[in-house]
Amino acid sequence: MKVGILGTGEVGQALARGFSSSGHSVVIGSRDAKNPKSAEFVRSLGPNARAGSFADAASSGEVVVLATLGLSTFDALQLAGTAALDGKVVIDVTNPLVFSEDGPHLAMGHTDSQGERVQGWLPKARVVKTLNIVGNPSMFRPEYPGGPPDMWLCGNDAGAKDTVTRLLHDLGWPSVIDIGGIEGARLLEPLCILWVRSGAALGNFNIAFRLLRK
C-alpha cells in the first residue's frame, strides 16, 4: 500500500522503516518539505520511500499515519489539509501528553480522548487508534523472550480496522485485539502512562503488553 506518515521524529522514522521494509511505499512528511535530515533518512530506506511535506504525505497515502507530537496533531492536520484525508484510513499513534517534574500526564481522559478528537477533526476519515502503547523501538518486529506482545486497536469503521490489522501483521504483530469504537482510545491512551511508569520502575523501557490466555 501507499502509506503517508505525518511526523519525522523517532516514531515516524520507526514506522517508515517498518512499512518500507514490509514492501509498502512510504512518504514521510514534515513541516519543512526540504528538511535535509528527512532527505538523508529516506535515502537510507531505498526506493520505497521519499520525503515531503505534511500535505504530500496526506495526499499520497492510501493509509495515513499520525506520528506527530500529541498536542501538535491538530496543527499538523491543518497544514496537511484535512480534505485530503476524506475517506482514507488514518492511523492515530499519538498520545496527548503534558510533562511536569513527576513525568508525563494525559491532557484529557475518562470522558474524552485524543483518538476521539482526531475523528472529530476528520469526520470523513476512518480513524483507527493503535501502536500508542509501546516504545518506537518495538513498533516493528517486536521480539521478547516470552513471545510476541499483543496490540490493541479501536475505531468506528470495521473495514478500516481490518486494513490496519493486516498492516500490523506486516509490522510483526501477530495478535491484534479489537476493543470496539474510537471511544476505546480512552482506555488505550492511559496505557501509555502505565508503560512509562512501568519502564521507570523497572529501569527498562524495552517492555510491551501481553494479555495472558487460559
Side-chain angles (χ1 to χ4, degrees), residues 65 98 104 211:
V65 180
V98 291
L211 190 67

Side-chain angles (χ1 to χ4, degrees), residues 24-37:
H24 303 285
S25 62
V26 173
V27 177
I28 184 167
S30 64
R31 293 176 183 272
D32 179 6
K34 297 181 180 180
N35 185 329
K37 291 184 178 179

Side-chain angles (χ1 to χ4, degrees), residues 198-205:
S198 297
L202 296 169
N204 177 12
F205 287 91

Side-chain angles (χ1 to χ4, degrees), residues 27-199:
V27 177
I28 184 167
S30 64
R31 293 176 183 272
D32 179 6
K34 297 181 180 180
N35 185 329
K37 291 184 178 179
S38 298
E40 182 180 355
F41 170 70
V42 296
R43 281 195 294 271
S44 72
L45 299 182
N48 277 351
R50 68 180 179 87
S53 65
F54 285 151
D56 293 331
S59 62
S60 63
E62 299 168 272
V63 172
V64 177
V65 180
L66 305 183
T68 51
L69 288 174
L71 297 183
S72 299
T73 301
F74 179 80
D75 291 340
L77 289 173
Q78 298 306 300
L79 291 172
T82 56
L85 300 171
D86 287 355
K88 294 184 178 181
V89 176
V90 174
I91 303 176
D92 176 21
V93 186
T94 67
N95 285 301
L97 300 179
V98 291
F99 295 88
S100 64
E101 291 182 359
D102 58 345
H105 303 271
L106 293 178
M108 63 199 74
H110 300 299
T111 59
D112 196 6
S113 67
Q114 177 92 337
E116 290 169 277
R117 292 191 182 189
V118 170
Q119 184 63 84
W121 297 332
L122 304 173
K124 296 182 180 180
R126 299 179 291 156
V127 178
V128 177
K129 186 85 179 188
T130 194
L131 283 173
N132 69 300
I133 62 171
V134 70
N136 68 82
S138 293
M139 289 182 173
F140 178 47
R141 295 177 183 167
E143 295 183 2
Y144 291 86
D150 295 304
M151 183 49 64
W152 284 258
L153 59 71
C154 63
N156 295 338
D157 187 279
K161 290 190 285 188
D162 287 344
T163 296
V164 175
T165 296
R166 291 194 298 272
L167 289 172
L168 287 169
H169 290 333
D170 289 346
L171 292 176
W173 294 89
S175 173
V176 179
I177 302 170
D178 179 354
I179 60 169
I182 193 62
E183 69 277 1
R186 300 178 194 180
L187 304 174
L188 296 184
E189 290 169 9
L191 282 181
C192 169
I193 304 299
L194 179 60
W195 181 87
V196 170
R197 294 200 176 188
S198 297

